[in-house]
Amino acid sequence: MSSARDSTSWEDTAEVCRKILRDSIPKQWAMNAEDLQTKDIVNANDFLDNSGILSTEELEMTRSTVKGLLAKYASGTWTVEAVATAFLKRATVANQLLNFATEFLTESALEGAKALDKHFQENKTLVGPLHGVPISIKARQARSMFEHIAVGGKICNASFVSKIGNIPADDAHIVQLLKRAGAIVPFRTNQPQSLMHLDCNNNITGMTKNPLNPTLSPGGSSGGEGAAVGSRCSVLGVGTDIGGYVQNPASYCDAYGFKPTALRNPALGLNGAMGGQESIRGCVGPLSKSMDDLVRFEKALLDQKPWDLETTLVPLAWRDVKVTKDSLTVGIIVDDGALAIAEEKLKAAGIKVKHFAPYDHARGWDIVSRLYFADGGERVHAALDASGEPMLPLTQQALNWPLTITQNWELNFEREKYRREYHALMKERGVDVILCPAYVGVGALQGQTRHWHYTAIWNILDQPAVSFPSGVVTDKAKDPRITDFKPRSEEDAAEMAAYDPELYHGIPISIQLAGKHHQDEELLDAAKLVEEALLA
Amino acid sequence: MSSARDSTSWEDTAEVCRKILRDSIPKQWAMNAEDLQTKDIVNANDFLDNSGILSTEELEMTRSTVKGLLAKYASGTWTVEAVATAFLKRATVANQLLNFATEFLTESALEGAKALDKHFQENKTLVGPLHGVPISIKARQARSMFEHIAVGGKICNASFVSKIGNIPADDAHIVQLLKRAGAIVPFRTNQPQSLMHLDCNNNITGMTKNPLNPTLSPGGSSGGEGAAVGSRCSVLGVGTDIGGYVQNPASYCDAYGFKPTALRNPALGLNGAMGGQESIRGCVGPLSKSMDDLVRFEKALLDQKPWDLETTLVPLAWRDVKVTKDSLTVGIIVDDGALAIAEEKLKAAGIKVKHFAPYDHARGWDIVSRLYFADGGERVHAALDASGEPMLPLTQQALNWPLTITQNWELNFEREKYRREYHALMKERGVDVILCPAYVGVGALQGQTRHWHYTAIWNILDQPAVSFPSGVVTDKAKDPRITDFKPRSEEDAAEMAAYDPELYHGIPISIQLAGKHHQDEELLDAAKLVEEALLA
C-alpha cells in the first residue's frame, strides 16, 4: 500500500481519478457546455427524453427491461451494439448533468457488444440470461483493499484519495459472473467517502446529483447507481449495502432496489474499510427499473453456483416460487399517507393486510450502530490520514466508539436474539412480508440524509428488502406543509421542517417491502403482487 | 449471575453438582464397590459384556443401531421401556468405572419410554425417526450463559464452578427436536473446564475415563459422550465441537463422530465462555457406533427445519445423496501405517485414491488459534475468579493473547482466503474427500492430549469431518517402539516418546475423513463406501 502523503498533495492524487474520468468520457456524444444549460434543467429524465439526443428507437432501447431486450435480440430486431450505443449516448449526457460516473468503459463495452452480436449471428442463440444487458457497477478507482467492486485493470479506491494506487488484476467475482451471463458494463459509478453515507459525495469526483432534481441527494451509498439506473443509463446497476445503501438510492431516484439476505450474492473482490467485519454483513444488491429485472439478476448469478468459488456464501440456489394472493398476508407499518393509500389498494386487490407495530426498532438500531464501526473507525482514519484529505461530515456521523472483543461478542449475541424474536413475531402475527416507508421523507437535499433506521433495520435483522415506486407522487396541493405538527423528537421536528412542498412537488414516492430471513424469492414474488395492486 | 465467591468455597459449590450426580444414580442397578474391582478392569466393555450385569437380550439391545431398534419396536418385539432399562443398567455400572455422567435422568427417561410404548400400542406407529432411541447429552449442571446444552430445569455449568446457579427453564433447541423425533435422554455427560480441552476433566465431577483403558483420556471436549457411546450406554451422543471435540473423543473411544459444517445443526440453548464469538463457529455433532446412525441423527434434526426458529442457521434441508465408487476420489494424507493400509484397501475395493499433501495447515492453525480466544480469555478468567476454582493446565494451554477489533477483522479476512484456497485446491487436485489421521497417536494418557491440528483444521476450514474405526488395531508385535526415529520437532519427539506399545496394544485405530464445505451429505455417504472398503 503506497501512501501519497509524503510527496503529493491529496488534491493532486485525486486529480489522477478525475483525469481518468475526463479522458474516458465519449467525446462524440458529449454536449457542449453552452448547449447544455444545466442550471435550467430540473428533471434530467425529461431533458434526456425530449431534447432529441436519442432517436425514437434509441429511447425505446433505453426504456427496455431485461425481458424486453432479450426478446428484441432473440428476434434479431436489435443488435447489442446499437443498444449499448444508445445507453452510452444517454449516459454521456446524463453524466454531464448528474456526475454519477467514475469511468466510462466505452471501448470494452462496444467490443463486448460486437462479440455478442457475432455469437448471435453465428449461433442464433443468446449467450446467457443477461445477453447484451447494460449493467453499471458501483466502483470508483483506487489502490489496495479499500475499493469496492473491482473491475480488472482499473483503479479501485473506495472513495479514499489514499487508495488511488489500487488496481486489482481481475474483475470482482460478481462482475465475472455477470459478464459470463452476457452483460456488458458501460461505466462505473460514484460512491461516498468511506462508503458509509446515505448520500454520494467524496473528495475525488465529488457529488452525484438526483435525476429528478439536482438539488436533491441521489441517496447512497450506491448513489451513482441510483442516478444512473434512475435516469435509464443502464438497465441494471450493481449496488452494495450494509445499511440501506441499495434501497435508499433506488427510492430517491424512482428506481427498484433489492437487498438480499446476506451471503447469497457474490462479494469476492469487494473490500471497503470494513473488510473482515462480520458482525453486520454487507451484501451486493441490484438496482433496476422493474421488479422482474431484480429477479432475473439474482437468478442469473445464483444459477452459476457462486458458492463453489466463494466459500463464504451460503449454497442456496435461486428458487422459483409462486406467491398467490390467497397465501399472502402483508403487514403494514402505517406511518404516513402513502402507506394508508397502499393499504386501501392492497385490500381492493384482495390481498390480506394487517397493521404491524414495529418491534423494538430502537433496540435493533442500538445494536447495529455500535457494530458497524466496532474498530472505532480506525481504518477510516488511517485511510484519510494517509493522504491528508478531509473527513466529510457524513463520514464522521457514521463512526462510533471502539468496542472490546468481549463487547463485540455480547452485541453479536444480542443481535441474534433480536433476529430470532423478530422472525418469531412475524410468524406469530401471521405476516409474510412487511410494507413500510423507504425513508422518513420522499427525499433529502444533498448531504442531508441522516436517518438510517428505515432501511438499516433490515440489515440488523438480515431480512431481504426491496424498495420500489409506490405509484403515488408528492403533490403540493394535497401534501402542504403541516402547520400544527407535533414532533415526537428534535429529529422529527428537523425532518418536518425540511419538507418543502414546492421542492418535492411531483417527486415519486417509493415504498419498501421486507421479507423473512432467507425468503428472498418469496419476497420478490410477493412484491410483484403488491406492486400490481398499488399500480392498479 | 450469582457469585459464590463471598460466602462459599468453590469446593462447597462444586459439591452441589456432585450431590446431584450421586442422588441421581439409579441405586437398583449400581454395583457394590467390593463387587466392582475397578483396579482390575482394563476394558470396561469387556467387563460390561461378560460380567452378567445384562441379559443376553439386554446385551443385544445395547448393541443395537437406530435402524435395528426401530425394526424391533415396529415389529413389537421390544418395548422402549425394556430398551431404556437395559441402557440405564449398563450406564449405571459403566459410570462407576468411567465417570462420564453428570446426572442420570432415569425417571423422565422411563416415563418417556412408557409414553412411546403407549403411543405404539394405540397407533401401531412410531412417533418419529428416533422413536425410543437413547441419546445422551453433553452437559454438566450450572448457572447462567456458561452451560452447554440446556436440559430444562437442570443445572447447566459449562464445567465452571461459578456457573452452578444456572438452571435454564427449557431444553436446548436440539434437545427439543430430538425428543420430538422420539428420542429419550437417559443421562447427561461430562465435559472439561472451559470446554476447551481435547480431554475431559474439571473441578466439579472430575475426570472421565476411557472405556478401552482407564488410564487413557476419553478425548474431549465431548469426552463424556465418547466414554458413554463408546461403552454402548447410549446409541447416540450429542457432542459439541470447535476444534475436533466430536471426532477426537469418538476416535479415542472406538466410536463414530461427525462434525458438520457450521450453522447446520441447531445450537440455540448452548452457551459457553465464547458465546457471541463468531470468527470460528462452534457446532453440535453426533457420536455413535455406526455411520448410518450419524446420518439418521442429521436427517431427523434437519427434516424439522430448525432454521425457522433458530434464524442463525443456514436453511438447508438434509439431502439424500448417493455417492458411487465411480464418482469418488479419496485424497489421502499418508502420515502413518494405518493410512498406508487404508490406501491399499481402498484401491482393492476399486476406489480412486490420490496422495494429498496438506496445504499450509500451519498457516490455518496460526489463524484459528488466535481467533478462538480473541478476548484473551477474559470470560474464562472471570468465570474462574468468580468461584476461586483453580485453572486446569489444559484450560491455560488453549488461551491466547487478546486481539484488537482490527486484528480480529484481519484474521477473519485471512481465514476466508484460506478456506477459498483450500476448496479450490481440492477441486484442482480432483479430490472429493480427504482421508487423514484423527490424531497424532492412537490415544493419549489422561491430561496429555495437546495437539489440536489433526481435527481443528476442519474447523478452521469449516469443512465437515467424520472419525471412525479404521478396522486396524494397535499390535505391539507389529508396532514396536521405533528406536531410530528422527523427530521433526520437539513436539514430535515428545509424541513418539509417549507411544507405549504395551499400553496401546489392542486399541482400535480410528481414522478421519473430511469433506468439502457444506457437502456434509456427500461426506457421510462417501464415508460409508470408505468404511466398507476398510472393513472388507
Side-chain angles (χ1 to χ4, degrees), chain A residues 125-170:
Chain A
T125 57
L126 307 183
V127 301
L130 299 174
H131 182 107
V133 177
I135 301 184
S136 47
I137 309 283
K138 176 185 186 180
R140 296 201 45 78
Q141 321 113 337
R143 271 171 258 232
S144 106
M145 67 180 293
F146 280 79
E147 175 51 9
H148 214 35
I149 308 182
V151 172
K154 301 295 179 180
I155 291 179
C156 216
N157 64 22
S159 287
F160 285 114
V161 172
S162 60
K163 305 301 169 188
I164 293 179
N166 183 37
I167 305 181
D170 302 314

Coordinates of all heavy atoms in Angstrom, one line a residue, chain A residues 125-170:
Chain A
T125 N -28.4 -18.0 -31.0 CA -28.8 -18.1 -29.6 C -28.1 -17.0 -28.8 O -27.1 -16.4 -29.3 CB -28.2 -19.5 -29.0 OG1 -26.8 -19.5 -29.2 CG2 -28.8 -20.7 -29.6
L126 N -28.7 -16.7 -27.7 CA -28.2 -15.7 -26.8 C -27.2 -16.4 -25.9 O -27.3 -17.6 -25.6 CB -29.3 -15.1 -25.9 CG -30.4 -14.5 -26.8 CD1 -31.4 -13.8 -25.8 CD2 -29.9 -13.5 -27.8
V127 N -26.1 -15.7 -25.4 CA -25.1 -16.4 -24.6 C -25.6 -16.7 -23.2 O -25.0 -17.7 -22.6 CB -23.8 -15.6 -24.5 CG1 -23.2 -15.4 -25.9 CG2 -24.0 -14.3 -23.7
G128 N -26.5 -16.0 -22.7 CA -27.0 -16.2 -21.3 C -28.1 -15.3 -21.0 O -28.6 -14.6 -21.8
P129 N -28.6 -15.4 -19.7 CA -29.8 -14.7 -19.3 C -29.7 -13.2 -19.2 O -30.6 -12.5 -19.0 CB -30.1 -15.3 -18.0 CG -28.8 -15.8 -17.5 CD -28.1 -16.3 -18.7
L130 N -28.4 -12.7 -19.4 CA -28.2 -11.3 -19.4 C -27.5 -10.8 -20.7 O -26.9 -9.8 -20.7 CB -27.4 -10.8 -18.1 CG -28.0 -11.2 -16.8 CD1 -27.0 -10.8 -15.7 CD2 -29.3 -10.4 -16.6
H131 N -27.8 -11.6 -21.7 CA -27.2 -11.3 -23.1 C -27.4 -9.8 -23.4 O -28.6 -9.4 -23.5 CB -27.8 -12.2 -24.1 CG -27.3 -12.0 -25.5 ND1 -26.5 -12.9 -26.1 CD2 -27.5 -11.0 -26.4 CE1 -26.2 -12.5 -27.3 NE2 -26.7 -11.4 -27.6
G132 N -26.3 -9.1 -23.6 CA -26.4 -7.7 -24.0 C -27.1 -6.7 -23.1 O -27.6 -5.7 -23.5
V133 N -27.2 -7.1 -21.8 CA -27.9 -6.2 -20.9 C -26.8 -5.2 -20.3 O -25.8 -5.6 -19.7 CB -28.5 -7.0 -19.7 CG1 -29.1 -6.0 -18.7 CG2 -29.6 -7.9 -20.3
P134 N -27.0 -3.9 -20.5 CA -26.0 -2.9 -19.9 C -26.2 -2.8 -18.4 O -27.3 -2.5 -17.9 CB -26.4 -1.6 -20.6 CG -27.3 -2.0 -21.8 CD -28.0 -3.2 -21.3
I135 N -25.1 -3.2 -17.7 CA -25.2 -3.2 -16.2 C -24.0 -2.3 -15.7 O -22.8 -2.6 -16.1 CB -25.0 -4.6 -15.7 CG1 -26.2 -5.5 -16.2 CG2 -25.0 -4.6 -14.2 CD1 -26.2 -6.9 -15.6
S136 N -24.3 -1.3 -15.0 CA -23.3 -0.4 -14.4 C -22.8 -1.0 -13.0 O -23.6 -1.7 -12.4 CB -23.8 1.0 -14.3 OG -25.1 1.1 -13.7
I137 N -21.6 -0.6 -12.7 CA -21.0 -1.2 -11.5 C -20.6 -0.1 -10.5 O -19.9 0.8 -10.9 CB -19.7 -2.0 -11.9 CG1 -20.0 -3.0 -13.0 CG2 -19.1 -2.7 -10.7 CD1 -20.8 -4.3 -12.6
K138 N -21.0 -0.2 -9.3 CA -20.6 0.7 -8.3 C -19.1 0.6 -8.0 O -18.7 -0.5 -7.4 CB -21.4 0.5 -7.0 CG -21.0 1.3 -5.8 CD -21.8 0.9 -4.6 CE -21.6 1.8 -3.3 NZ -22.4 1.2 -2.2
A139 N -18.4 1.5 -8.4 CA -16.9 1.4 -8.1 C -16.2 2.7 -8.6 O -16.4 3.1 -9.7 CB -16.4 0.2 -8.9
R140 N -15.5 3.2 -7.7 CA -14.6 4.3 -8.0 C -13.3 3.7 -8.5 O -13.2 2.5 -8.8 CB -14.3 5.2 -6.8 CG -15.6 5.9 -6.4 CD -15.3 7.1 -5.6 NE -14.2 7.8 -6.3 CZ -14.4 8.5 -7.4 NH1 -15.6 8.8 -7.8 NH2 -13.4 9.1 -8.0
Q141 N -12.3 4.5 -8.5 CA -11.0 4.0 -9.0 C -10.0 4.2 -7.9 O -9.9 5.2 -7.3 CB -10.5 4.7 -10.3 CG -11.6 5.0 -11.2 CD -11.9 6.5 -11.4 OE1 -11.5 7.2 -10.5 NE2 -12.4 6.9 -12.5
A142 N -9.2 3.1 -7.5 CA -8.2 3.3 -6.5 C -7.3 2.1 -6.2 O -7.5 1.0 -6.8 CB -8.8 3.8 -5.2
R143 N -6.5 2.2 -5.2 CA -5.5 1.2 -4.8 C -5.9 0.4 -3.6 O -6.7 0.9 -2.8 CB -4.2 1.9 -4.3 CG -3.2 2.1 -5.5 CD -2.1 3.0 -5.0 NE -2.3 4.4 -5.4 CZ -1.4 5.1 -6.1 NH1 -0.3 4.7 -6.4 NH2 -1.7 6.4 -6.5
S144 N -5.4 -0.9 -3.4 CA -5.4 -1.7 -2.1 C -6.8 -2.3 -1.8 O -7.6 -2.5 -2.7 CB -5.0 -0.8 -1.0 OG -6.0 -0.4 -0.1
M145 N -7.0 -2.6 -0.6 CA -8.2 -3.4 -0.2 C -9.4 -2.5 0.0 O -10.4 -2.9 0.4 CB -7.9 -4.2 1.1 CG -7.7 -3.3 2.3 SD -7.4 -4.4 3.8 CE -9.0 -5.1 4.0
F146 N -9.2 -1.2 -0.3 CA -10.3 -0.3 0.1 C -11.3 -0.1 -1.0 O -12.3 0.6 -0.8 CB -9.7 1.0 0.6 CG -9.3 0.9 2.0 CD1 -8.1 0.3 2.3 CD2 -10.1 1.4 3.0 CE1 -7.7 0.2 3.6 CE2 -9.7 1.2 4.3 CZ -8.5 0.6 4.6
E147 N -11.0 -0.5 -2.2 CA -12.1 -0.3 -3.2 C -13.2 -1.2 -3.0 O -13.1 -2.2 -2.3 CB -11.5 -0.4 -4.6 CG -12.7 -0.2 -5.7 CD -13.5 1.0 -5.4 OE1 -13.2 1.9 -4.6 OE2 -14.6 1.1 -6.1
H148 N -14.1 -0.9 -3.9 CA -15.3 -1.6 -3.8 C -15.4 -2.7 -4.8 O -14.7 -3.6 -4.6 CB -16.4 -0.5 -3.8 CG -17.5 -0.9 -2.9 ND1 -17.2 -1.6 -1.8 CD2 -18.8 -0.9 -3.0 CE1 -18.3 -1.9 -1.2 NE2 -19.3 -1.5 -1.9
I149 N -16.2 -2.6 -5.8 CA -16.3 -3.7 -6.7 C -15.2 -3.6 -7.8 O -15.2 -2.7 -8.6 CB -17.7 -3.7 -7.4 CG1 -18.8 -3.6 -6.3 CG2 -17.9 -5.0 -8.2 CD1 -20.2 -3.7 -6.8
A150 N -14.3 -4.5 -7.8 CA -13.2 -4.5 -8.7 C -13.6 -4.7 -10.1 O -14.4 -5.5 -10.4 CB -12.2 -5.6 -8.3
V151 N -13.1 -3.9 -11.0 CA -13.1 -4.2 -12.4 C -11.7 -4.3 -12.9 O -10.9 -3.4 -12.6 CB -13.9 -3.0 -13.2 CG1 -13.8 -3.2 -14.7 CG2 -15.3 -3.0 -12.8
G152 N -11.4 -5.4 -13.5 CA -10.0 -5.8 -13.8 C -9.2 -4.7 -14.5 O -9.7 -4.1 -15.5
G153 N -8.0 -4.4 -14.0 CA -7.2 -3.4 -14.6 C -7.5 -2.0 -14.3 O -6.9 -1.0 -14.8
K154 N -8.5 -1.7 -13.5 CA -9.0 -0.4 -13.2 C -8.7 0.0 -11.7 O -8.8 -0.8 -10.8 CB -10.5 -0.3 -13.5 CG -10.9 -0.6 -14.9 CD -10.4 0.4 -15.9 CE -10.7 0.0 -17.3 NZ -10.2 1.0 -18.2
I155 N -8.4 1.3 -11.5 CA -8.2 1.8 -10.2 C -9.4 1.6 -9.4 O -10.6 1.7 -9.8 CB -7.9 3.3 -10.2 CG1 -6.5 3.6 -10.8 CG2 -7.9 3.9 -8.8 CD1 -6.1 5.0 -10.9
C156 N -9.2 1.2 -8.1 CA -10.3 0.9 -7.2 C -10.1 1.6 -5.9 O -9.2 1.2 -5.1 CB -10.3 -0.6 -7.1 SG -11.9 -1.4 -7.0
N157 N -10.8 2.7 -5.5 CA -10.3 3.5 -4.4 C -11.3 3.6 -3.2 O -11.0 4.3 -2.2 CB -9.9 4.9 -4.8 CG -11.1 5.6 -5.4 OD1 -12.2 5.3 -5.1 ND2 -10.8 6.6 -6.2
A158 N -12.5 3.0 -3.3 CA -13.5 3.1 -2.2 C -13.7 4.5 -1.8 O -14.0 4.8 -0.6 CB -13.0 2.2 -1.0
S159 N -13.4 5.4 -2.7 CA -13.6 6.9 -2.4 C -12.7 7.4 -1.3 O -13.0 8.3 -0.6 CB -15.1 7.2 -2.1 OG -15.8 7.1 -3.3
F160 N -11.5 6.8 -1.2 CA -10.5 7.4 -0.3 C -9.4 7.8 -1.3 O -8.9 7.0 -2.1 CB -9.9 6.3 0.6 CG -10.8 6.0 1.8 CD1 -11.3 4.8 2.0 CD2 -11.0 7.0 2.8 CE1 -12.1 4.5 3.1 CE2 -11.8 6.7 3.9 CZ -12.4 5.4 4.0
V161 N -8.9 9.0 -1.2 CA -7.9 9.5 -2.0 C -6.6 8.6 -1.9 O -5.9 8.3 -2.8 CB -7.5 11.0 -1.7 CG1 -6.3 11.4 -2.5 CG2 -8.7 11.9 -2.1
S162 N -6.4 8.2 -0.6 CA -5.1 7.5 -0.4 C -5.1 6.1 -1.0 O -4.1 5.4 -1.1 CB -5.0 7.3 1.1 OG -6.0 6.6 1.7
K163 N -6.2 5.6 -1.5 CA -6.3 4.3 -2.1 C -6.3 4.3 -3.7 O -6.6 3.4 -4.3 CB -7.6 3.6 -1.7 CG -7.8 3.5 -0.2 CD -6.6 2.8 0.5 CE -6.6 3.0 2.0 NZ -5.4 2.4 2.6
I164 N -5.9 5.5 -4.2 CA -5.9 5.6 -5.6 C -4.8 4.8 -6.3 O -4.6 4.8 -7.5 CB -5.9 7.1 -6.0 CG1 -7.2 7.8 -5.6 CG2 -5.7 7.4 -7.5 CD1 -7.4 9.2 -5.9
G165 N -4.0 4.1 -5.6 CA -3.0 3.2 -6.2 C -3.5 1.8 -6.5 O -2.8 1.0 -7.1
N166 N -4.7 1.5 -6.0 CA -5.2 0.1 -6.1 C -5.7 -0.3 -7.4 O -6.8 0.2 -7.8 CB -6.3 -0.1 -5.0 CG -6.7 -1.5 -4.9 OD1 -6.0 -2.5 -5.1 ND2 -8.0 -1.7 -4.7
I167 N -5.0 -1.1 -8.1 CA -5.5 -1.6 -9.4 C -5.6 -3.1 -9.4 O -4.6 -3.8 -9.6 CB -4.6 -1.2 -10.6 CG1 -4.4 0.4 -10.5 CG2 -5.2 -1.6 -11.9 CD1 -3.6 0.9 -11.6
P168 N -6.8 -3.7 -9.0 CA -6.9 -5.1 -9.0 C -6.7 -5.7 -10.3 O -7.1 -5.1 -11.3 CB -8.3 -5.3 -8.4 CG -9.0 -4.1 -8.7 CD -8.0 -3.0 -8.8
A169 N -6.1 -6.9 -10.4 CA -5.8 -7.5 -11.6 C -7.1 -8.1 -12.3 O -7.2 -8.0 -13.5 CB -4.8 -8.7 -11.4
D170 N -8.0 -8.6 -11.5 CA -9.2 -9.2 -12.0 C -10.5 -8.5 -11.7 O -10.5 -7.8 -10.7 CB -9.2 -10.7 -11.4 CG -8.0 -11.4 -11.8 OD1 -7.5 -11.4 -12.9 OD2 -7.4 -12.1 -10.8

